[in-house]
Amino acid sequence: MTSWVMDDQTSTAEARGVTPDEIVAAMPFAAGLGIRLETAGPDETVAVLPWSDAHTTAGGLLHGGALMALADTAGAVCAFLGLPPGARTATTESGTHLFRAVAGSAVRATARPVHAGRTQVVVQTDLTDDRGRLVARTTQTQAVIPG
C-alpha cells in the first residue's frame, strides 16, 4: 500500500507534485472499485466511477454502496487537499440522499467544501449519471488530524 502526506499548501494535486492516479493508488479500496480522479483540488474534486456489472445489485442497478464509496472518495480528496501541511483527514459522518437508480452508466462525483475549519471540513458531493442527471447528494464531515 502506498502512503504519503502532502507537505506544502498549493491548490491542486499536480501543483503539490502528486498526480490524481497516485492519490487513488494511495486508497486501495477506491482503486479496487476503479474510481479515477478527473481533477483534484481543495475547491473542487471530480471523480468518476465507471460502469461495471460487479458494482450492481441483483436487479442490475448500481449498488448504493458503490455510489457512497465514490462520494466519500471525492469528498475526502477534496478535504485532504485543503489541509495544512502534514495533516490528515478521516470521515466522521456521511449522509447520502439517493434520488435516481443508475443502470449502465458511469457516475461522476463533484465534491466542493461547504466549511473548512481547524478541526473539521464539511464537503458536499453531487453524483450525476452520463446524462448529467443528479442521482445522489452526499454531505460528509471530515476530521482534521494534525500532523
Side-chain angles (χ1 to χ4, degrees), residues 52-145:
S52 171
D53 289 334
H55 302 146
T56 62
T57 64
L61 300 175
L62 191 61
H63 192 284
L67 292 169
M68 289 182 255
L70 172 63
D72 186 66
T73 298
V77 169
C78 186
F80 179 72
L81 291 174
L83 295 179
R88 297 174 295 146
T89 186
T91 305
T92 59
E93 183 276 334
S94 183
T96 300
H97 293 278
L98 303 168
F99 303 124
R100 173 185 306 275
V102 178
S105 173
V107 178
R108 174 170 279 101
T110 303
R112 295 181 182 99
V114 175
H115 168 79
R118 286 183 309 105
T119 61
Q120 66 181 10
V121 178
V122 178
V123 179
Q124 180 174 294
T125 304
D126 286 341
L127 292 98
T128 55
D129 64 13
D130 283 343
R131 295 172 53 191
R133 299 178 300 179
L134 185 65
V135 298
R137 175 170 286 159
T138 296
T139 302
Q140 69 188 91
T141 303
Q142 295 281 329
V144 176
I145 304 166

Side-chain angles (χ1 to χ4, degrees), residues 8-37:
D8 62 351
Q9 188 69 19
T10 54
S11 63
T12 66
E14 288 89 353
R16 290 179 179 218
V18 65
T19 68
D21 288 341
E22 290 171 319
I23 293 172
V24 174
M27 299 182 294
F29 183 74
L33 288 174
I35 293 172
R36 72 182 198 297
L37 295 176

